[in-house]
Amino acid sequence: MIKTFQHLLRLSSTGPSCGKVLSSCGGWVPPKNTRYALQGTSTNFEAVRAYSDKWDLDVESLLKDEEYEEFSERIFRLPQHGHNVLVIQPFIDYQTNWKDPNLKNTTPELQLEEAEALIKTLSRWKVSGSLLLGVPSYNRSNFFSYGQIERMKDILNKTKNISAVFVSVNILKARQIINLELELDVPVYDRYTIVIQIFKQHAKTKESKLQVAMAELPYLRQCVKGFPLGLSDRLALGSVVGGLGRVSPEKRKDLLQERELKLKKAIISLRKHRERLRSTQKISSYPIVAVMGYTNAGKTSLIKALTSKDSLQPKNQLFATLDVTKHEGLLPCKLKVLYIDTVGFITNIPTKLIESFTATLEDAMCSDVIIHVWDVSNPDFVLQQEHVMNTLKKLQFGENLEQKIFTVANKIDRIAEDKLLELKRSIPQNNTFFVSTKNGQGMEEMLDNLQKKIIAATGRICMKIKVKTGGNEELWIRKNFPVVSIELGNDSEHTTFTVIVTKAQIDTFKYNFLK
């Protein structure tokens, strides 16, 4: 039912065929039999498709550099056949006087689960064992105590197939890597190196490949500073492998600097390209809705539900979406919307990793509404949603960030009914909507409120316009306005359209027909 304001917007008419704006509407509630996902037409969205194909920079040639590749491969030293990994989740031991800030709203056990999920995301990598180890701080030269290192050695000796160790912390110092590898005789990785490899694995377009290449530079720069002369970039089996390679230590800094300058120029080109696309009339005329959240929260699944796009194939793995993509959708009021699917966030990695994607995240920064997707079935979802909001603030998503946010609490089908009721009581309901993209539960209510949010955020209003049936005004309205409903008058000479319009659109209509 359409709610009509008491005040009516009346416009003078110069003849019987001229349009008349009858009223302004406060909102629109879709009929009960309206599907919560509607497929929009694709012909009007050609301008936003295939961003990479329209960007003429040859990224493959830009990234190809034999000297740099030889140098980076020696530092990351990731075999094509993968690794069998011992996963270690350290945490600040509460028996000391330290309090681990990373354990706010989470537990070491939950952090260990996420660390294992990171390894399982990499092709041909397997988790062969896992450990929780309390430490007094993360700053010791060996990172772990003598007893803990001996315990790791014992596990490695007993489990012969383990070929690497993953220490699940933000980033290890070069000295810590060297000492641990000399002690354990296997490669040692931190979260930075693992996440970078996941990014590389999932980067499909030249845009994402360019930004991943930028993201690995801070790590390589740290290694150049930290590895002393006479040692290999990474140690294996306790010995120097292959000497220092063809790239001398003196040249490595210059090599990194040259690559950074080259990548920055390419990213400036990318940013200008996306600015041009955003400024085109076809893109700017549609509401932009960014879908953001923690990795594997169900962002792509939500977009698939909102657009009915069978081509979208959500995956149950971390960082399944790396490229920022746009997808057309249709609200129940027939208003076309662009949904932006974005890279997910994750805790305990340097913000610089995500900052490398700002060239494409700028599309999300320019959005009218940001859907923040939570995975409420994850015991860590409070920590995850806090991390996402903190990261968005660090990325300078704007002073009105909080006003843009529309929260969707996803995956309620995985929660017991009593637990779900408890969650709903503990979380403010005014801007949080509990849904399951899998079975559709809560989707209709969520979409109705999302529609209201989008209309308000873009300065649109719902209006009734009465025009002569079959006249030029009717043809123009059908072509240019999202039409909510059509009512034929009793005399059949006039038709009343309920439309969703911006002030600019109604001004254009007035100019054309109500001079």
Side-chain angles (χ1 to χ4, degrees):
M1 180 181 293
I2 299 174
K3 179 181 177 183
T4 304
F5 288 149
Q6 291 180 351
H7 64 281
L8 301 178
L9 177 60
R10 298 284 182 181
L11 298 174
S12 62
S13 165
T14 59
S17 66
C18 292
K20 181 180 290 186
V21 179
L22 293 181
S23 65
S24 168
C25 309
W28 182 78
V29 179
K32 290 185 178 180
N33 61 351
T34 301
R35 290 188 61 201
Y36 63 82
L38 298 171
Q39 180 63 49
T41 58
S42 60
T43 55
N44 292 329
F45 290 87
E46 292 176 358
V48 299
R49 291 186 184 279
Y51 273 20
S52 294
D53 293 340
K54 295 181 181 180
W55 187 36
D56 57 6
L57 186 66
D58 187 355
V59 173
E60 295 293 339
S61 298
L62 178 76
L63 295 180
K64 192 170 183 180
D65 184 329
E66 290 184 4
E67 272 194 324
Y68 174 84
E69 289 170 6
E70 189 263 355
F71 163 55
S72 63
E73 284 174 7
R74 293 184 59 76
I75 288 188
F76 288 117
R77 208 165 48 73
L78 297 160
Q80 293 184 351
H81 56 74
H83 271 304
N84 294 312
V85 183
L86 173 63
V87 179
I88 300 175
Q89 180 60 60
F91 61 95
I92 302 296
D93 193 343
Y94 282 118
Q95 293 180 356
T96 69
N97 293 325
W98 292 68
K99 184 177 180 181
D100 190 347
N102 295 322
L103 291 182
K104 182 184 177 183
N105 295 323
T106 187
T107 65
E109 290 78 12
L110 291 173
Q111 287 187 315
L112 179 60
E113 286 182 21
E114 184 175 89
E116 292 176 349
L118 283 170
I119 294 299
K120 292 173 183 176
T121 302
L122 283 169
S123 298
R124 296 181 292 278
W125 287 55
K126 296 179 181 178
V127 176
S128 295
S130 58
L131 274 179
L132 285 170
L133 294 177
V135 295
S137 80
Y138 294 161
N139 297 320
R140 293 190 297 183
S141 60
N142 283 357
F143 197 93
F144 299 103
S145 68
Y146 171 80
Q148 290 170 334
I149 290 175
E150 289 300 309
R151 182 180 175 187
M152 285 184 256
K153 285 182 180 180
D154 186 54
I155 293 173
L156 293 172
N157 289 330
K158 290 179 179 178
T159 312
K160 299 295 184 182
N161 69 328
I162 293 178
S163 58
V165 170
F166 170 37
V167 182
S168 182
V169 292
N170 182 327
I171 188 167
L172 289 169
K173 298 175 183 176
R175 172 56 63 183
Q176 291 171 329
I177 293 172
I178 292 170
N179 290 343
L180 286 172
E181 290 192 350
L182 285 171
E183 290 282 353
L184 301 175
D185 289 348
V186 293
V188 175
Y189 301 100
D190 53 24
R191 286 174 77 95
Y192 200 126
T193 50
I194 296 301
V195 171
I196 279 289
Q197 301 318 309
I198 295 173
F199 281 3
K200 285 185 174 182
Q201 179 176 292
H202 291 171
K204 303 301 181 186
T205 67
K206 55 188 181 182
E207 292 176 328
S208 59
K209 290 176 181 177
L210 173 64
Q211 292 173 109
V212 170
M214 194 71 183
E216 72 181 14
L217 291 181
Y219 188 86
L220 296 174
R221 188 170 284 110
Q222 174 193 279
C223 292
V224 166
K225 292 179 181 178
F227 284 111
L229 297 178
L231 285 174
S232 65
D233 301 315
R234 266 194 180 279
L235 304 173
L237 303 177
S239 60
V240 176
V241 179
L244 286 168
R246 292 186 292 110
V247 183
S248 67
E250 294 79 12
K251 190 177 179 181
R252 294 178 186 186
K253 291 182 181 179
D254 293 336
L255 192 66
L256 289 175
Q257 188 174 2
E258 289 170 7
R259 187 169 180 86
E260 183 177 27
L261 289 173
K262 191 162 52 173
L263 294 179
K264 281 184 175 179
K265 286 182 181 178
I267 287 176
I268 289 172
S269 169
L270 169 61
R271 183 171 280 118
K272 288 180 178 178
H273 165 70
R274 298 188 84 92
E275 284 176 357
R276 285 194 299 270
L277 287 171
R278 283 195 297 269
S279 66
T280 61
Q281 185 177 359
K282 284 187 177 181
I283 295 177
S284 60
S285 62
Y286 299 117
I288 307 294
V289 180
V291 182
M292 313 193 80
Y294 205 78
T295 183
N296 206 30
K299 298 181 292 297
T300 304
S301 296
L302 178 63
I303 292 176
K304 183 173 183 178
L306 291 171
T307 61
S308 296
K309 289 190 72 172
D310 293 332
S311 59
L312 282 172
Q313 297 298 326
K315 298 177 182 178
N316 184 25
Q317 58 180 212
L318 304 184
F319 300 110
T321 300
L322 195 57
D323 293 292
V324 173
T325 57
K326 290 189 176 183
H327 310 274
E328 68 269 20
L330 200 63
L331 295 176
C333 66
K334 309 301 189 292
L335 178 64
K336 293 169 185 174
V337 178
L338 290 181
Y339 295 102
I340 303 177
D341 200 0
T342 61
V343 61
F345 300 117
I346 194 169
T347 57
N348 293 333
I349 61 169
T351 307
K352 287 184 179 293
L353 258 180
I354 299 297
E355 283 178 350
S356 300
F357 289 81
T358 52
T360 45
L361 283 175
E362 281 177 357
D363 291 340
M365 293 178 184
C366 297
S367 63
D368 300 298
V369 174
I370 297 175
I371 298 178
H372 183 183
V373 184
W374 299 355
D375 174 5
V376 289
S377 70
N378 191 307
D380 250 356
F381 86 89
V382 174
L383 171 73
Q384 293 177 355
Q385 62 94 4
E386 287 178 353
H387 174 73
V388 171
M389 290 303 297
N390 290 335
T391 304
L392 290 178
K393 290 173 184 175
K394 288 179 182 178
L395 293 175
Q396 299 180 344
F397 259 68
E399 295 179 358
N400 61 340
L401 173 63
E402 300 285 349
Q403 298 173 9
K404 282 187 176 184
I405 294 293
F406 182 89
T407 304
V408 174
N410 190 26
K411 302 189 183 181
I412 61 174
D413 55 289
R414 299 184 180 185
I415 304 176
E417 205 167 307
D418 56 340
K419 177 68 174 175
L420 181 58
L421 288 173
E422 183 183 334
L423 270 177
K424 288 183 175 181
R425 283 194 295 266
S426 64
I427 296 173
Q429 295 291 296
N430 59 331
N431 198 34
T432 301
F433 300 92
F434 290 79
V435 306
S436 167
T437 57
K438 186 176 182 180
N439 61 25
Q441 186 179 353
M443 288 292 292
E444 188 171 334
E445 178 190 2
M446 182 276 295
L447 183 58
D448 180 44
N449 284 277
L450 176 61
Q451 175 175 270
K452 293 174 183 176
K453 176 91 171 177
I454 292 170
I455 290 172
T458 57
R460 284 172 164 82
I461 54 174
C462 179
M463 307 189 77
K464 284 184 176 181
I465 304 178
K466 185 177 180 180
V467 298
K468 184 177 179 180
T469 302
N472 292 332
E473 298 95 330
E474 177 177 345
L475 295 175
W476 197 92
I477 288 171
R478 288 180 181 273
K479 181 179 179 181
N480 295 282
F481 288 169
V483 178
V484 176
S485 65
I486 304 173
E487 299 174 36
L488 187 63
N490 292 332
D491 57 2
S492 299
E493 291 186 6
H494 293 85
T495 302
T496 301
F497 289 87
T498 303
V499 295
I500 303 289
V501 289
T502 62
K503 183 181 182 302
Q505 287 174 319
I506 202 64
D507 286 346
T508 303
F509 178 78
K510 290 180 191 178
Y511 178 80
N512 289 331
F513 301 108
L514 298 176
K515 297 178 183 177

